[in-house]
Amino acid sequence: MSAFRLFATRAFCGVPVKSVRPSVNLVTNDEQLCLQSRFTAVTRLFSSRPHNSKVPQVATWEPVPQDQLPTPPQISADLVDKLERLALVDFRTKQGLACLEKAIQFADQLHVVDTSGVEPMDSVLEDRTLYLRDDTVTEGDCAEELLRLSKNTVEEYFVAPPGKKKTEYISFETKVLIIMTVHYSDDE
Amino acid sequence: MVVSCVAASELLYRMNKQIIILYPKNLCIIRRISTTSSQWHVQPQPRARSAPHHLVGVVGLEIHAQVNSNTKLFSSSPVCFSAPPNSLVSFFDASLPGTLPVLNRRCVEAAVMTGLALNCTINRKSLFDRKHYFYADLPAGYQITQQRQPIAVDGMMTYSRLEGKKGSQVIRRNVRIKQIQLEQDSGKSLHDDVHSQTLIDLNRAGVGLMELVMEPDMSCGEEAAAAVRELQLILQALGTCQGNMSEGQLRVDANVSVHRPGEPLGIRTEVKNINSVRYLARAIDYEIQRQIDVLQRGGTVQNETRAYDSKSGETIPMRDKEGLQDYRFMPEPNLPPLIVYEDNASLPTGIDACQAVVVQKIREGLPELPSVKRDRLVQTYGILPEHSFTLVNEDGLVEFFEAVLKATKKEPRKVIGWVTNELLGHLKQKDMSVAESPISPLALAELLELQETGHISSSVAKQVFQEMWRSSDKSPLHIIQEQDLGLVSDATQLHKICQKVVDLHPDEVNAIRSGNKKVLNKLMGLVQKETKGRADPLLVRAILQEKTS
């Protein structure tokens, strides 16, 4: 999903595909840092051996040749319908569809990675013990505080639009704008 | 794309036209076939007409049982039924950014215990997943559930149905339990149509649920109701769920289809909005009949969700979520797999035994299950199976019955009627629970003891029972003395009364003398009427026999 968001942002700005690179690099670096610090913590806890990470110190980037990618998919009208409903975004425009196609192509690069013999994992913490808590009340009773966050309340209830009404979609441009704002404020 | 869209809609339009053109033809063909068949096979026609009667219902259930716990599944906020709106909500329940789920051990133990009671295999490792849907009372936009690997699988529950005219025939049936999964409950929405808004109460959001999936092994509403009732009793015996359907602690959705036995299952509908066991049976039977009617008329059953309307007794189609739901299941990244251990020996080093969920320990703590309890009652006390059902069905009634037995020498088979008819009848009439009974087991035992030792007759005992119900502070003996209800066993007094009855009914006396001994009972009844049921029946019989011989 984050790849799609990144891509959508760039595509909207009219930047060609290849220059997505720096921003992806940036993310990879972040993740690496994060992973490294976790692994270091683990080693410190359980052994005194010096840590030897398989994760490279510096990110590397190689563009995947077009011919190695699967053929670009045909996007059916049904699929557009479904995606609009799930994302609550109205993107049935030429530009929106082109963007989606490019996003799929971008993500398709993952198919090139050889994962044979590698067991999929849900998270890097999946071999850790899940902490189980006692059944004792320590939270709740903060209705006032929570209701203050809501734009609209009635007595002690949150107010939402009526459920029966058809959900309003926001336009593709608005969504991209939102994503851009989030993304760029993250960068800085 | 725009071009292809236009082309597609053009195509659709043409198809529609074709369907319209084809449709009458289809009708014609059908009619023609049916006329020929009736012309050629005059005899088999009634059989053909009755064939759809062989359609039978197939029922599977999805049951959501609220875990009976102090706090929610992933947060430490309290669980309570009718609290002020949004007063039981933590930051996590409101899904504020940065909050994380912390699993409640009690909920895991409850699910394991329920799994064991239903003969399930407990998965040593189970996983949590996110199920996405967009609804105002689900603030996170997803529910944490166990889609890929639930905590318990492949179980079996035995339940019994009482059949026959008096419900005296016990028929045992099995239903397979596909799985039990832990998941979060959603909040509640109140729709305000006047102001066209939805009010949201998140008190229920995040409460732990056990979703139990029962395979389609049932065939009618009665069976499904019996299965749910048995599950309810099991959950209540375990204490893992309070099982009150009207408060939503137990919610049942039924998957209903019809087919001819031996053929593949038909298209099913899902019936929701059922909030009592009685309505469950009615809703399912209505739905089975509706589907049979649809098929008999030559229609097809739609795969849809229907709601039960308890007022009209009908199921009505619910506006479905467009039939195109995509829950976008994904692994819950904030929760590592849940591991449970078979016994203390299998605990890895470094893990605290109090912190871990140990299956063996839970198995040892399993209480007596309802079916075992019923069998024990029948065997120990020699009561009828249907009485064992009545006893176990009512919370606290078994304990009451056993307490009475301890304090009286009266036979269990004679006590059972007092408990299941007199006591339960009075309780039901006043809509009271056994715990609220104004008559204690000891007081009832005292009353029965007085009857057993011949101090009072059985009709007087019932009279005293009524009085005890009204004024619970009075002992049976006190009431008997106060109202002079003691048995009349003064021979001279009884002789006088009997003589009077004999004198007034010469026809009956003649009948007895000419051999019809049954008429004696009528005279006995008349004597009891005179004495307001206080005469010693054995003495009266002896006197009357003497006088009519």
Side-chain angles (χ1 to χ4, degrees):
Chain A
M1 195 60 210
S2 93
F4 171 60
R5 280 192 182 161
L6 276 171
F7 187 78
T9 318
R10 293 296 168 171
F12 184 70
C13 304
V15 183
V17 187
K18 272 170 196 162
S19 60
V20 173
R21 222 186 302 165
S23 117
V24 171
N25 268 343
L26 211 146
V27 171
T28 327
N29 275 332
D30 278 354
E31 272 172 10
Q32 252 179 32
L33 281 174
C34 180
L35 285 179
Q36 270 176 358
S37 62
R38 273 176 192 162
F39 276 115
T40 326
V42 173
T43 347
R44 274 193 201 132
L45 265 174
F46 294 108
S47 83
S48 53
R49 278 182 290 121
H51 180 61
N52 179 19
S53 175
K54 296 269 192 301
V55 182
Q57 293 299 308
V58 184
T60 53
W61 179 266
E62 258 175 70
V64 177
Q66 285 287 326
D67 59 326
Q68 283 189 27
L69 296 176
T71 38
Q74 285 292 310
I75 300 159
S76 68
D78 277 355
L79 185 64
V80 173
D81 266 356
K82 185 175 166 181
L83 290 173
E84 282 189 326
R85 207 168 39 243
L86 291 174
L88 304 175
V89 171
D90 185 9
F91 72 100
R92 196 185 288 267
T93 58
K94 234 180 202 171
Q95 187 200 18
L97 285 170
C99 178
L100 177 64
E101 267 165 24
K102 278 181 185 160
I104 294 169
Q105 236 181 328
F106 175 71
D108 272 345
Q109 293 180 94
L110 287 170
H111 286 293
V112 180
V113 181
D114 181 12
T115 56
S116 52
V118 182
E119 212 185 307
M121 62 199 291
D122 294 349
S123 101
V124 289
L125 298 173
E126 68 178 26
D127 55 347
R128 294 295 199 88
T129 313
L130 175 59
Y131 174 74
L132 296 172
R133 123 187 104 72
D134 286 336
D135 188 22
T136 319
V137 176
T138 58
E139 291 174 287
D141 200 16
C142 52
E144 217 177 297
E145 224 172 319
L146 287 170
L147 289 161
R148 262 207 305 271
L149 302 172
S150 178
K151 199 167 84 177
N152 199 356
T153 60
V154 166
E155 288 164 15
E156 276 115 27
Y157 292 98
F158 295 104
V159 177
K164 281 170 199 158
K165 209 169 126 192
K166 199 174 175 255
T167 324
E168 278 171 31
Y169 291 172
I170 55 171
S171 74
F172 178 69
E173 283 76 13
T174 321
K175 182 94 177 194
V176 171
L177 249 163
I178 294 169
I179 293 165
M180 271 176 68
T181 325
V182 172
H183 184 62
Y184 282 116
S185 56
D186 274 359
D187 273 359
E188 277 141 29
Chain B
M1 192 62 208
V2 177
V3 177
S4 71
C5 260
V6 170
S9 65
E10 175 89 325
L11 192 72
L12 251 164
Y13 176 66
R14 272 193 226 147
M15 273 165 67
N16 268 337
K17 257 186 166 175
Q18 268 179 318
I19 289 165
I20 294 160
I21 298 162
L22 279 170
Y23 203 59
K25 268 190 205 164
N26 274 340
L27 283 180
C28 288
I29 292 163
I30 293 162
R31 201 177 296 149
R32 213 187 306 145
I33 290 171
S34 64
T35 17
T36 24
S37 76
S38 64
Q39 274 173 353
W40 286 90
H41 312 280
V42 182
Q43 279 303 316
Q45 207 205 355
R47 200 184 63 114
R49 203 187 281 160
S50 71
H53 287 294
H54 294 307
L55 285 167
V56 292
V58 178
V59 184
L61 300 173
E62 278 174 36
I63 299 162
H64 285 93
Q66 252 182 29
V67 178
N68 181 17
S69 59
N70 299 324
T71 63
K72 296 185 179 179
L73 184 58
F74 294 117
S75 80
S76 298
S77 43
V79 175
C80 178
F81 179 59
S82 49
N86 292 307
S87 62
L88 315 174
V89 187
S90 72
F91 290 172
F92 174 79
D93 305 324
S95 62
L96 298 195
T99 53
L100 288 168
V102 188
L103 184 55
N104 184 351
R105 188 170 58 246
R106 158 70 189 157
C107 293
V108 180
E109 285 169 344
V112 170
M113 187 181 240
T114 308
L116 290 173
L118 298 174
N119 309 299
C120 291
T121 307
I122 306 298
N123 274 331
R124 214 187 74 83
K125 175 179 169 184
S126 59
L127 304 169
F128 288 98
D129 303 281
R130 289 183 181 180
K131 177 182 182 178
H132 294 85
Y133 58 95
F134 188 74
Y135 209 75
D137 55 25
L138 187 82
Y142 59 83
Q143 173 198 38
I144 304 179
T145 179
Q146 295 196 297
Q147 192 236 358
R148 293 168 297 165
Q149 198 144 331
I151 186 137
V153 291
D154 294 335
M156 170 84 77
M157 185 184 80
T158 305
Y159 64 97
S160 303
R161 277 180 71 193
L162 295 175
E163 276 181 7
K165 271 184 189 162
K166 288 178 184 169
S168 54
Q169 205 183 342
V170 179
I171 295 168
R172 282 179 199 246
R173 295 211 188 280
N174 289 326
V175 56
R176 287 168 297 151
I177 312 284
K178 186 173 174 238
Q179 63 187 58
I180 301 174
Q181 64 199 44
L182 277 169
E183 61 185 34
Q184 294 172 301
D185 209 339
S186 65
K188 278 182 185 170
S189 302
L190 288 167
H191 300 289
D192 175 0
D193 292 330
V194 182
H195 301 97
S196 157
Q197 58 187 12
T198 306
L199 306 183
I200 308 293
D201 175 13
L202 296 179
N203 278 349
R204 206 182 62 179
V207 170
L209 292 177
M210 297 180 279
E211 184 183 315
L212 294 108
V213 183
M214 287 188 186
E215 299 278 13
D217 295 342
M218 291 149 284
S219 62
C220 65
E222 273 304 315
E223 276 188 9
V228 169
R229 182 72 191 118
E230 185 68 15
L231 177 72
Q232 202 176 21
L233 288 171
I234 291 173
L235 294 173
Q236 284 165 345
L238 299 174
T240 56
C241 169
Q242 292 183 329
N244 187 338
M245 282 185 83
S246 61
E247 288 185 8
Q249 288 154 350
L250 200 65
R251 301 194 282 270
V252 183
D253 298 337
N255 290 316
V256 181
S257 65
V258 296
H259 76 148
R260 290 188 179 80
E263 286 181 10
L265 296 183
I267 295 164
R268 66 170 198 202
T269 60
E270 189 177 2
V271 186
K272 286 182 180 275
N273 205 19
I274 308 168
N275 54 18
S276 83
V277 174
R278 196 153 35 103
Y279 288 155
L280 174 71
R282 284 190 202 160
I284 289 171
D285 287 337
Y286 175 86
E287 182 57 20
I288 290 172
Q289 196 50 52
R290 187 192 68 85
Q291 292 188 11
I292 291 176
D293 291 347
V294 166
L295 293 178
Q296 278 178 338
R297 271 187 267 116
T300 48
V301 175
Q302 299 295 313
N303 176 216
E304 62 184 352
T305 307
R306 300 176 71 88
Y308 178 66
D309 178 7
S310 56
K311 276 183 196 141
S312 65
E314 293 174 351
T315 65
I316 37 179
M318 272 169 87
R319 202 187 311 198
D320 216 353
K321 291 155 193 165
E322 292 159 45
L324 288 160
Q325 274 286 25
D326 182 346
Y327 292 124
R328 291 172 293 154
F329 281 105
M330 60 169 263
E332 167 58 58
N334 293 327
L335 291 162
L338 168 63
I339 311 284
V340 297
Y341 301 94
E342 185 46 42
D343 45 33
N344 277 334
S346 58
L347 280 177
T349 43
I351 284 182
D352 185 4
C354 309
Q355 229 273 311
V357 173
V358 181
V359 177
Q360 186 60 35
K361 208 162 71 187
I362 296 170
R363 193 178 283 124
E364 281 161 11
L366 279 177
E368 186 179 42
L369 293 177
S371 60
V372 180
K373 192 177 264 182
R374 282 192 289 259
D375 291 347
R376 176 175 64 83
L377 289 169
V378 170
Q379 276 171 11
T380 321
Y381 303 118
I383 58 172
L384 296 169
E386 61 258 39
H387 284 146
S388 74
F389 274 87
T390 315
L391 284 180
V392 172
N393 260 341
E394 208 57 44
D395 191 27
L397 200 58
V398 173
E399 290 74 15
F400 193 102
F401 174 65
E402 292 190 311
V404 174
L405 286 183
K406 263 187 203 155
T408 170
K409 286 188 242 13
K410 212 174 170 72
E411 263 186 74
R413 276 199 284 185
K414 286 182 182 166
V415 175
I416 188 75
W418 280 92
V419 174
T420 58
N421 297 334
E422 257 62 43
L423 179 77
L424 194 59
H426 276 78
L427 288 172
K428 286 265 147 99
Q429 210 181 353
K430 295 270 162 58
D431 200 16
M432 287 159 81
S433 71
V434 176
E436 291 169 315
S437 164
I439 298 176
S440 70
L442 284 178
L444 181 60
E446 194 187 334
L447 173 69
L448 298 181
E449 199 63 12
L450 286 167
Q451 189 204 339
E452 190 67 14
T453 51
H455 280 83
I456 48 168
S457 66
S458 65
S459 57
V460 167
K462 283 183 186 163
Q463 227 174 303
V464 176
F465 183 89
Q466 298 274 3
E467 191 55 37
M468 285 163 73
W469 183 271
R470 278 193 290 272
S471 40
S472 57
D473 52 325
K474 288 182 190 165
S475 76
L477 199 62
H478 184 95
I479 294 168
I480 292 163
Q481 285 167 351
E482 195 180 67
Q483 306 197 3
D484 191 22
L485 292 169
L487 217 52
V488 179
S489 41
D490 176 3
T492 37
Q493 200 187 342
L494 283 180
H495 264 288
K496 252 187 235 166
I497 299 165
C498 287
Q499 192 60 52
K500 195 176 141 198
V501 168
V502 167
D503 290 346
L504 284 170
H505 298 88
D507 291 352
E508 280 79 2
V509 174
N510 282 333
I512 296 166
R513 282 187 179 139
S514 56
N516 193 350
K517 298 286 178 200
K518 278 183 189 167
V519 182
L520 192 75
N521 291 333
K522 190 183 173 188
L523 294 183
M524 280 191 67
L526 291 165
V527 173
Q528 290 295 7
K529 207 175 168 187
E530 287 283 317
T531 59
K532 288 173 189 146
R534 289 156 49 218
D536 182 343
L538 292 174
L539 205 54
V540 172
R541 179 174 283 271
I543 295 168
L544 284 174
Q545 271 170 349
E546 185 196 307
K547 288 189 188 298
T548 56
S549 58

